């Protein structure tokens, strides 16, 4: 039998430290749903999603009850919609978004991702129509999340697409002004977007994937924070020194446990449903719940203000230790896998914005060493489209040159300025508006269009 | 023909008890199949399975152990059993769960939770308890093979825990295996 102390440690992780499986995401291929009319295409899509995911939520709940571990979100990702809807126009894409919304409601998933396009090298006519549809599509749908990949280390940055996105994001926010610009929280711009990421808003079912695949996203910033607190306290009471490499080891071992839970849940759900198991995404994804914060870990590890010098180095160590612990724990690792710093979804990061400790530039620096990027940042609604595009361009360049995934999810909150706050509630969280410096000074750069060529290290053939 | 026996021993703990008992079994030509021992509050208890030749009876074994020059009293029970214990007994049932309960220490806690298990046709495979400060903790390994609806048991357990003022958690054994063991 397992020892009682091991059992109690595991129970504590789940009961007191917010250990859960953050998301089980079913990826569904929709490529063959394209019919000669938009109406028939929508019907095909809804039928396909019902058929594949009809028992998905029920099965996740069954496994969750059986094992005694919460599975927080049940989601679906689909083939990027611009490929499914090749040849359709703007209005057709709005119809597709509504159709996906209906399908998500029928199978009772929380969110559906993959209202997406991949334009890192060039845009088709369909891709442009898709981009034009975004403001209305995101206003008219509730659960649909959109993403676009406009850059990669292999192909460079598509600056024509990028130039369209700043104004598009503003438009999305304005179309949902009655909800504080919430539409923009459902749209994310990527460099090196993975095709098997289970986290939203950027989940897609990549064209390289099989027909139906299950990917699992584990989380657990709260578990890591509590285990570090315990380690630090016990060493202090024993008066034994503690070094950073020991802290990294603690993070690694805790992540191992967290990941193993995700792997167990994912494999059992995929066995019951008879679909192939994809990857475990080992991410530290915070939630607005107090005690489930990546910012808090930075604080525990020694910076009194999030964004103070040292924040980037701590995050680098955290991100690396999370990967090391998780990779050993899972048979197949993928997706984003690392620490997330979505400002609105992390109460400690949001608080740091309010206190003026965390600025956009420091956040950008931190994204060089962790997963994703400038995520869930509320900025003044008055910031112009070109400036937003230019913020995205900088983040894309980081991903492109460093061979990593980066992304931007900015919410230019209509009518709000620095000093105001915005709350979306639930998992999307709340934050004071973050100041943007040097607004309106990048238009000449964005005006060029064309492409930023792929970096020299992309030529590996 | 050989004879299978189960032997139970309890004694105040000291060094040499296992050597004394297994020595007696050896001298009677016995083949030890399995042994499990535990200590609690300064006392040791162990249970053993052994195979003897036909000529050896449980009474002979008890006599042999009684003849040991032991500084502590050895309370021994030996019984012949049929059939022999299955060699697969170490494999856990598929519906093995771990229940942990914590609450203020008072009389009847183990009785209460074990009665709950009995009412729901749940077999207790293993049970360990600890007391720290005033908190009494029980860790039970349970076989829920005869339980049809885990949801019903969970709901009954929630009600029981609420009534008794206990924190009770019921989780599948697999969860503890994956978080604490590296598979090989």
């Amino acid at each position: 039998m397992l020892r009682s102390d091991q059992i109690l440690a595991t129970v504590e992780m789940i009961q007191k430290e917010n250990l859960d499986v953050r998301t089980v995401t079913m990826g569904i291929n929709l490529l063959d749903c394209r019919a000669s009319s938009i109406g028939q295409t929508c019907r095909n899509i809804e039928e396909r999603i019902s058929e594949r995911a009809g028992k998905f939520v029920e099965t996740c709940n069954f496994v969750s009850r059986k094992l005694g571990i919460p599975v927080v979100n049940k989601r679906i990702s689909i083939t990027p919609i611009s490929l499914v809807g090749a040849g359709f126009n703007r209005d057709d894409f709005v119809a597709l978004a509504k159709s996906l919304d209906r399908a998500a409601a029928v199978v009772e998933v929380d969110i559906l991702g993959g209202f997406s396009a991949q334009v890192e090298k060039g845009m088709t006519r369909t891709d442009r129509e898709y981009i034009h549809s975004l403001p209305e599509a995101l206003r008219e749908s509730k659960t649909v999340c959109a993403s676009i990949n406009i850059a990669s280390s292999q192909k460079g940055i598509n600056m024509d697409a990028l130039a369209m996105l700043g104004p598009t994001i503003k438009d999305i926010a304005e179309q949902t002004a009655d909800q504080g610009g919430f539409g923009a929280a459902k749209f994310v711009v990527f460099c090196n977007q993975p095709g098997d990421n289970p986290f939203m808003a950027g989940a897609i079912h990549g064209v390289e994937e099989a027909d139906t695949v299950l990917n699992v996203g584990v989380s657990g910033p709260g578990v890591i924070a509590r285990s570090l607190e315990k380690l630090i306290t016990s060493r202090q009471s024993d008066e034994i020194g503690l070094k950073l490499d020991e802290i990294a080891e603690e993070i690694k071992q805790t992540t191992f446990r967290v990941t193993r839970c995700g792997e167990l849940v994912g494999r059992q759900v995929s066995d019951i449903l008879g679909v192939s198991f994809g990857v475990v995404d080992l991410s530290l994804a915070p939630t607005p719940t107090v005690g489930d914060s990546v910012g808090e870990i930075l604080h525990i590890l020694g910076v009194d203000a999030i964004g103070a010098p040292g924040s980037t180095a701590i995050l680098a160590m955290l991100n690396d230790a999370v990967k090391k612990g998780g990779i050993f724990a899972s048979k197949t690792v993928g997706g984003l896998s690392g620490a997330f710093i979505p400002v609105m979804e992390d109460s400690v990061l949001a608080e740091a914005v309010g206190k003026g400790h965390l600025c956009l530039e420091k956040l950008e620096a931190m994204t060089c060493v962790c997963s994703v990027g400038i995520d869930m940042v509320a900025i003044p609604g008055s910031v112009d489209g070109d400036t937003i595009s230019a913020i995205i361009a900088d983040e894309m360049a980081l991903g492109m040159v460093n061979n990593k995934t980066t992304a931007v999810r900015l919410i230019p909150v209509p009518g709000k300025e620095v000093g105001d706050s915005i709350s979306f509630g639930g998992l999307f969280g709340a934050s004071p508006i973050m100041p943007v410096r040097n607004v309106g000074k990048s238009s000449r750069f964005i005006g060029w269009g064309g492409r930023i060529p792929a970096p020299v290290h992309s030529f590996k053939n | 023909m050989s004879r299978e026996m189960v032997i139970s021993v309890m004694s105040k703990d000291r060094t040499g008890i296992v050597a004394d008992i297994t020595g007696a079994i050896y001298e009677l030509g016995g083949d030890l199949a399995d042994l499990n021992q535990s200590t609690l509050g300064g006392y040791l208890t162990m249970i053993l399975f052994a195979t003897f030749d036909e000529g050896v009876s449980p009474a002979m074994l008890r006599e042999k152990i009684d003849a040991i020059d032991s500084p502590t009293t050895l309370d021994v029970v030996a019984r012949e059993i049929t059939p022999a214990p299955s060699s697969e007994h170490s494999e856990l049932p598929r519906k093995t769960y771990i229940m942990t309960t914590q609450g203020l220490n008072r009389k009847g806690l183990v009785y209460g939770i074990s009665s709950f298990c009995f009412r729901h046709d749940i077999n207790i495979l293993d049970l360990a308890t600890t007391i720290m400060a005033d908190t009494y903790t029980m860790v039970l390994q349970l076989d829920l093979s005869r339980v049809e609806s885990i949801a019903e048991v969970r709901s009954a357990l929630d009600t029981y825990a609420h009534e008794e003022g206990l924190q009770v958690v019921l989780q599948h054994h697999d969860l503890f295996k994956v978080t604490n063991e590296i598979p090989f």
Side-chain angles (χ1 to χ4, degrees):
Chain A
M1 187 182 173
L2 293 154
R3 293 199 323 266
S4 300
D5 57 336
Q6 294 173 325
I7 288 171
L8 293 173
T10 304
V11 170
E12 198 146 295
M13 281 204 307
I14 295 167
Q15 293 296 302
K16 297 191 188 151
E17 301 166 5
N18 296 323
L19 172 66
D20 50 42
V21 173
R22 188 52 49 86
T23 179
V24 179
T25 304
M26 176 184 266
I28 303 175
N29 170 32
L30 299 183
L31 274 177
D32 54 347
C33 291
R34 175 69 158 91
S36 54
S37 70
I38 178 68
Q40 189 56 44
T41 305
C42 289
R43 282 191 289 279
N44 289 351
I45 287 174
E46 288 172 53
E47 270 170 34
R48 170 67 50 82
I49 290 175
S50 282
E51 177 226 328
R52 293 290 156 84
K55 293 200 167 146
F56 171 54
V57 172
E58 179 191 320
T59 308
C60 289
N61 290 340
F62 168 76
V63 170
S64 167
R65 263 200 316 273
K66 179 185 147 198
L67 294 172
I69 184 169
V71 176
V72 181
N73 298 300
K74 278 73 74 174
R75 296 165 169 175
I76 286 177
S77 63
I78 57 157
T79 313
I81 201 70
S82 73
L83 302 173
V84 182
F88 284 147
N89 61 29
R90 178 196 168 283
D91 292 347
D92 296 334
F93 277 106
V94 173
L96 283 169
K98 290 180 185 169
S99 164
L100 290 168
D101 213 24
R102 284 193 297 273
V106 167
V107 298
E108 296 176 332
V109 291
D110 315 291
I111 297 180
L112 183 148
F115 195 77
S116 306
Q118 293 174 312
V119 298
E120 61 265 36
K121 195 166 179 197
M123 279 184 290
T124 61
R125 190 191 65 79
T126 305
D127 294 328
R128 288 176 192 275
E129 294 289 320
Y130 155 80
I131 293 174
H132 288 309
S133 80
L134 283 168
E136 193 180 340
L138 292 175
R139 186 191 69 205
E140 293 300 316
S141 60
K142 225 170 108 188
T143 50
V144 173
C145 279
S147 57
I148 188 165
N149 193 60
I150 62 159
S152 74
S153 299
Q154 269 295 317
K155 304 296 177 196
I157 306 174
N158 182 342
M159 295 298 286
D160 289 327
L162 180 119
M164 290 174 74
L165 291 181
T168 302
I169 289 169
K170 275 186 74 82
D171 201 5
I172 294 170
E174 274 153 21
Q175 291 279 335
T176 48
D178 55 336
Q179 305 164 59
F182 178 64
K186 299 187 288 178
F187 178 60
V188 54
V189 185
F190 272 98
C191 171
N192 295 323
Q193 182 178 23
D196 53 7
N197 153 36
F199 287 102
M200 296 293 173
I204 56 168
H205 181 70
V207 287
E208 69 279 12
E209 298 285 331
D211 268 331
T212 315
V213 173
L214 268 188
N215 296 316
V216 170
V218 298
S219 184
V223 183
I224 306 259
R226 300 290 86 74
S227 74
L228 290 176
E229 276 174 349
K230 257 188 246 164
L231 177 70
I232 292 166
T233 313
S234 76
R235 289 299 186 87
Q236 275 167 350
S237 62
D238 296 347
E239 294 181 2
I240 304 169
L242 181 63
K243 303 253 188 243
L244 276 174
D245 42 358
E246 294 172 273
I247 289 174
E249 183 63 20
E250 178 70 21
I251 297 169
K252 204 169 93 181
Q253 294 196 10
T254 307
T255 311
F256 173 85
R257 293 196 170 90
V258 172
T259 307
R260 295 270 288 165
C261 292
E263 174 103 359
L264 179 70
V265 169
R267 292 205 179 267
Q268 294 206 355
V269 174
S270 60
D271 276 354
I272 294 171
L273 292 174
V275 301
S276 51
F277 183 75
V279 300
V280 175
D281 187 321
L282 331 156
S283 288
L284 286 189
T287 62
T289 312
V290 171
D292 200 26
S293 154
V294 169
E296 188 189 9
I297 300 176
L298 301 188
H299 191 259
I300 292 169
L301 292 186
V303 284
D304 297 332
I306 310 305
S311 301
T312 310
I314 294 173
L315 192 58
M317 184 187 83
L318 175 65
N319 199 59
D320 182 67
V322 165
K323 283 181 200 288
K324 284 172 178 163
I327 282 170
F328 182 51
S330 170
K331 291 191 184 79
T332 45
V333 171
L336 299 163
S337 289
F340 292 0
I341 45 172
V343 173
M344 289 188 71
E345 295 170 3
D346 187 311
S347 57
V348 176
L349 292 178
E351 195 188 328
V353 172
K355 288 180 177 166
H357 294 158
L358 182 61
C359 65
L360 197 59
E361 289 78 5
K362 185 62 177 177
L363 198 62
E364 182 185 303
M366 287 161 72
T367 66
C368 297
V369 297
C370 74
S371 280
V372 193
I374 300 181
D375 194 18
M376 287 300 280
V377 178
I379 58 170
S382 58
V383 174
D384 64 291
D386 284 351
T387 300
I388 293 174
S389 291
I391 294 170
I392 298 172
D394 286 344
E395 191 64 26
M396 297 296 105
L398 290 178
M400 174 182 74
V401 169
N402 293 306
N403 288 304
K404 71 187 285 292
T405 300
T406 50
V408 177
R409 187 160 45 147
L410 290 174
I411 302 112
V413 185
K416 298 263 184 179
E417 290 301 325
V418 174
D420 296 333
S421 287
I422 179 72
S423 171
F424 293 144
L427 282 176
F428 289 92
S431 166
I433 306 292
M434 184 179 258
V436 178
R437 295 194 299 165
N438 295 313
V439 172
K441 296 190 171 125
S442 312
S443 292
R444 279 191 303 116
F445 165 60
I446 297 303
W448 294 117
R451 288 163 57 201
I452 291 185
V456 66
H457 54 234
S458 70
F459 298 98
K460 286 181 179 163
N461 287 329
Chain B
M1 278 290 284
S2 60
R3 301 174 85 167
E4 311 282 342
M5 280 189 227
V6 58
I7 305 133
S8 154
V9 180
M10 192 183 81
S11 163
K12 195 168 191 327
D13 196 19
R14 61 169 172 85
T15 53
I17 297 175
V18 177
D20 283 347
I21 301 294
T22 54
I25 292 169
Y26 175 73
E27 282 169 25
L28 287 173
D31 180 14
L32 188 64
D34 211 347
L35 182 156
N36 210 331
Q37 71 149 63
S38 179
T39 54
L40 192 65
Y43 277 80
L44 174 138
T45 174
M46 66 175 140
I47 183 165
L48 308 92
F49 282 111
T51 311
F52 295 88
D53 289 338
E54 202 171 357
V56 179
S57 69
M60 287 167 71
L61 178 63
R62 274 197 302 275
E63 273 170 33
K64 186 85 187 163
I65 294 173
D66 284 345
I68 294 168
D69 181 19
S70 168
T72 61
T73 309
L74 300 170
D75 293 316
V76 179
V77 178
R79 266 190 207 155
E80 187 168 357
I81 46 163
T82 48
S86 159
S87 61
E88 290 169 11
H89 68 282
S90 61
E91 292 233 341
L92 290 169
R94 283 185 60 187
K95 284 195 177 174
T96 301
Y97 278 71
I98 302 285
M99 184 196 283
T100 54
T101 79
Q102 288 185 308
L104 275 181
N105 188 27
R106 60 181 159 82
K107 287 176 186 169
L109 284 175
V110 178
Y111 171 62
I113 207 79
S114 55
S115 305
F116 176 91
C117 292
F118 178 61
R119 282 200 299 279
H120 290 87
D121 213 358
I122 295 168
N123 189 24
I124 299 175
L125 302 172
D126 207 343
L127 166 60
T129 64
T130 54
I131 181 158
M132 275 179 70
D134 269 346
T135 303
Y136 193 75
T137 302
M138 281 180 269
V139 179
L140 300 96
Q141 190 180 41
L142 306 173
D143 176 10
L144 271 69
S145 297
R146 287 189 292 275
V147 168
E148 284 200 0
S149 163
I150 177 82
E152 274 172 31
V153 167
R154 281 194 190 287
S155 140
L157 195 59
D158 284 347
T159 312
Y160 177 79
H162 185 71
E163 284 168 4
E164 299 290 318
L166 296 171
Q167 287 175 297
V168 183
V169 183
L170 180 67
Q171 288 159 322
H172 199 279
H173 183 257
D174 284 353
L175 203 59
F176 298 91
K177 266 177 69 175
V178 298
T179 48
N180 290 289
E181 292 177 2
I182 295 171
F184 55 90

